[in-house]
Amino acid sequence: SDALGGMHALSPETISIVGDDLLVIDERGTAVLHEAALQDLEDLTREMLLTASFYIQRFEHRHAAIGPSIDRVSVILDLFELEHSFCDAKCRLLQTYLCIYEHTADPEEHDALCQRITDLMAQRPKFDLQDQYFDQSYTLAICTLEDRVRLLSSMVVTQTGRERSLRRDLCNAAHRVESNHMLAMQKDEARGFCRGYIDSDGADKGVSFRYPS
C-alpha cells in the first residue's frame, strides 16, 4: 500500500500498451523488465505446472484402464491460454482501479484503493479439486473479473458525468452572480456620474453630469 501510495513520487516510469503487449517505459523512453517480474513469472510457471500435473495424474489414475495417457502438450496449451485470458481480465480491472485512484482526493479512500489493487494483483483462480478439468475454475474467475470491469467502468462514467454536470452548473451560477454583481456596480457608478440638482427655489434646473477625472 505504501509503495502504491508513493508510486508517482518515486517512479518516473510509465505504462505503454503496444498491440497486445504491456510495456514499462523508463524516463529515457526505454522498455524495461524488472527482476521482480521475472521472479513472479517463474513462480507462476511453477504453479501452473503443479496445477496441470494434478489434473493429469488424477485423470490417468481414474482412467488407467483406458490405455494411452492424456496429451500433456494439449493440457499445457489449454492452461496457458486460460492463464493469459485471466491475466488480461485482471489487467483491465487494474487499469480501471488506477483510473479511480487518479481521480480520488480523499487520503483514506486512497489507502483503501491501494489495498484493493494489491489484493487484486495477488489474486489467483480458486480451483475446485472435484472438477474434472481446470477450465471451469478459470472461466468462473475470468467472468467475475470481466463483470467487475463492466460494473466499475459504468460507475466511473456515471460519476464523472455527474461531476461534469455539477461543475458546469456551478460555473454557470457563478457567472450569473458575477454578471449581476457587475451590473449592480455599473448602475451605482451611473448614479454617481449623473446627478440632478435643484435650485434654491425648488425649480429643477436640469441635469449635471460628473465625469471621473
Side-chain angles (χ1 to χ4, degrees):
S1 177
D2 293 338
L4 284 171
M7 59 185 175
H8 296 295
L10 298 178
S11 176
E13 297 170 349
T14 58
I15 304 298
S16 177
I17 301 177
V18 180
D20 294 333
D21 297 329
L22 188 66
L23 303 179
V24 179
I25 309 298
D26 64 10
E27 66 276 10
R28 295 173 295 181
T30 304
V32 297
L33 182 61
H34 293 288
E35 184 177 354
L38 293 175
Q39 183 61 47
D40 290 342
L41 178 60
E42 183 178 344
D43 295 340
L44 177 59
T45 302
R46 186 183 303 108
E47 177 184 336
M48 293 171 63
L49 289 175
L50 290 174
T51 301
S53 298
F54 170 81
Y55 284 96
I56 289 173
Q57 291 176 8
R58 191 181 65 172
F59 179 85
E60 292 181 342
H61 177 73
R62 291 181 177 180
H63 303 84
I66 295 179
S69 62
I70 191 171
D71 186 353
R72 284 165 168 72
V73 175
S74 297
V75 172
I76 294 297
L77 180 60
D78 290 343
L79 184 59
F80 269 81
E81 288 179 348
L82 289 168
E83 181 66 29
H84 178 272
S85 298
F86 174 76
C87 290
D88 182 66
K90 187 162 66 170
C91 181
R92 284 186 278 115
L93 182 56
L94 281 170
Q95 290 175 334
T96 305
Y97 271 122
L98 287 174
C99 178
I100 298 173
Y101 180 90
E102 292 287 349
H103 293 85
T104 301
D106 186 82
E108 293 184 359
E109 294 296 333
H110 264 175
D111 293 340
L113 283 170
C114 286
Q115 187 59 54
R116 284 177 178 267
I117 292 173
T118 302
D119 294 342
L120 178 59
M121 292 172 63
Q123 183 174 326
R124 298 294 303 147
K126 299 183 184 300
F127 295 102
D128 186 350
L129 301 182
Q130 300 304 317
D131 290 341
Q132 294 295 324
Y133 206 42
F134 49 73
D135 60 335
Q136 296 180 5
S137 298
Y138 265 106
T139 301
L140 179 60
I142 293 169
C143 290
T144 301
L145 292 173
E146 291 176 344
D147 288 342
R148 291 174 66 183
V149 170
R150 284 191 291 267
L151 176 61
L152 287 177
S153 297
S154 63
M155 292 174 63
V156 169
V157 171
T158 301
Q159 180 67 20
T160 53
R162 289 179 177 177
E163 290 181 358
R164 290 193 186 100
S165 178
L166 178 60
R167 183 167 59 248
R168 182 171 57 251
D169 293 342
L170 290 175
C171 290
N172 291 337
H175 180 69
R176 287 194 297 270
V177 170
E178 184 179 1
S179 298
N180 293 336
H181 180 65
M182 292 295 296
L183 182 59
M185 290 180 59
Q186 291 174 358
K187 288 181 178 179
D188 291 339
E189 291 177 357
R191 292 191 186 98
F193 297 157
C194 178
R195 293 180 178 178
Y197 68 93
I198 306 298
D199 61 3
S200 59
D201 295 333
D204 188 356
K205 303 297 291 182
V207 177
S208 173
F209 291 93
R210 291 181 55 199
Y211 293 94
S213 56

